[in-house]
Amino acid sequence: MTVSRILGIIYKMKNNYIEIVFLFSIVVLCVFVRIIAAQFIPDYLIIDNPTYQIAANDLLRTGAISNHYIMPLYPLVLALFGGGEFAQVLVGLISGGITTILIWCLSRHIFTDKYVGLVASLIYALYPMAIFYGVKGLTESLFTLFLVAAFLSLYKYKIIMASIFFILTILTRPVTALFAPFIIVWFTI
């Protein structure tokens, strides 16, 4: 789902400005909470954080990742943002905000109730583990973004788009490699 498509959905709801204002407020809250949390969560708790920075810096210097145990998409995204710790926090903030909007879209599509979508996006915006993974530069924030986008595409019967998002989840974290084909087949039957 592209940004223009999300904006199109929001534009179609022009009669319901209050929901749009609440959604925007939730996204701002999501980003704000993550910025504050980035200042207080200690870095020594995470051993993967420097590994992704090194992989991103390897991509910037040599065009290849020297550690073959890392999936390539997250270091590539970090390299696009310049690598380093700031890039990790920035990617976490952006993916957290977009995931909040996608969760709202998915909830609206499944339940057709505007309050369910707002509550679901608020729960994600304030969920402690999502905040932690988003601000400490781990792959889970980007993985969650692609996974929610894949399920939103499946619920809208856009199988090719869902397949692309599942491939992106696999390139971020390989945990969906076994069940993604089964889920796609399940939704196409």
Side-chain angles (χ1 to χ4, degrees), residues 155-171:
Y155 272 102
K156 293 188 173 215
Y157 301 107
K158 297 182 180 182
I159 305 304
I160 305 254
M161 200 67 174
S163 300
I164 291 169
F165 282 124
F166 273 122
I167 290 169
L168 291 174
T169 63
I170 293 167
L171 289 173

Side-chain angles (χ1 to χ4, degrees), residues 112-184:
T112 65
D113 183 7
K114 62 183 175 183
Y115 299 113
V116 171
L118 290 173
V119 169
S121 61
L122 181 65
I123 289 171
Y124 177 77
L126 298 177
Y127 184 60
M129 292 311 292
I131 294 168
F132 176 77
Y133 289 133
V135 300
K136 286 304 156 189
L138 299 174
T139 60
E140 282 80 355
S141 59
L142 192 63
F143 172 80
T144 306
L145 168 68
F146 293 138
L147 190 64
V148 172
F151 277 104
L152 181 60
S153 299
L154 283 174
Y155 272 102
K156 293 188 173 215
Y157 301 107
K158 297 182 180 182
I159 305 304
I160 305 254
M161 200 67 174
S163 300
I164 291 169
F165 282 124
F166 273 122
I167 290 169
L168 291 174
T169 63
I170 293 167
L171 289 173
T172 306
R173 292 180 55 84
V175 296
T176 55
L178 292 176
F179 77 87
F182 295 110
I183 290 176
I184 293 171

Side-chain angles (χ1 to χ4, degrees), residues 26-179:
I26 291 170
V27 171
V28 169
L29 177 70
C30 173
V31 172
F32 180 73
V33 165
R34 282 161 174 71
I35 289 172
I36 298 300
Q39 307 303 316
F40 294 107
I41 299 174
D43 286 334
Y44 62 84
L45 297 174
I46 296 104
I47 57 172
D48 289 345
N49 190 334
T51 308
Y52 296 123
Q53 290 177 11
I54 292 168
N57 290 332
D58 285 347
L59 274 174
L60 289 172
R61 267 183 296 139
T62 65
I65 298 173
S66 60
N67 187 344
H68 300 292
Y69 297 107
I70 295 176
M71 296 306 286
L73 187 59
Y74 188 68
L76 178 65
V77 171
L78 291 180
L80 291 175
F81 284 96
E85 188 176 345
F86 178 73
Q88 287 179 309
V89 173
L90 187 61
V91 168
L93 290 175
I94 292 169
S95 61
I98 295 172
T99 304
T100 302
I101 295 171
L102 291 178
I103 286 173
W104 171 77
C105 291
L106 181 62
S107 300
R108 285 279 296 178
H109 185 75
I110 294 173
F111 299 107
T112 65
D113 183 7
K114 62 183 175 183
Y115 299 113
V116 171
L118 290 173
V119 169
S121 61
L122 181 65
I123 289 171
Y124 177 77
L126 298 177
Y127 184 60
M129 292 311 292
I131 294 168
F132 176 77
Y133 289 133
V135 300
K136 286 304 156 189
L138 299 174
T139 60
E140 282 80 355
S141 59
L142 192 63
F143 172 80
T144 306
L145 168 68
F146 293 138
L147 190 64
V148 172
F151 277 104
L152 181 60
S153 299
L154 283 174
Y155 272 102
K156 293 188 173 215
Y157 301 107
K158 297 182 180 182
I159 305 304
I160 305 254
M161 200 67 174
S163 300
I164 291 169
F165 282 124
F166 273 122
I167 290 169
L168 291 174
T169 63
I170 293 167
L171 289 173
T172 306
R173 292 180 55 84
V175 296
T176 55
L178 292 176
F179 77 87

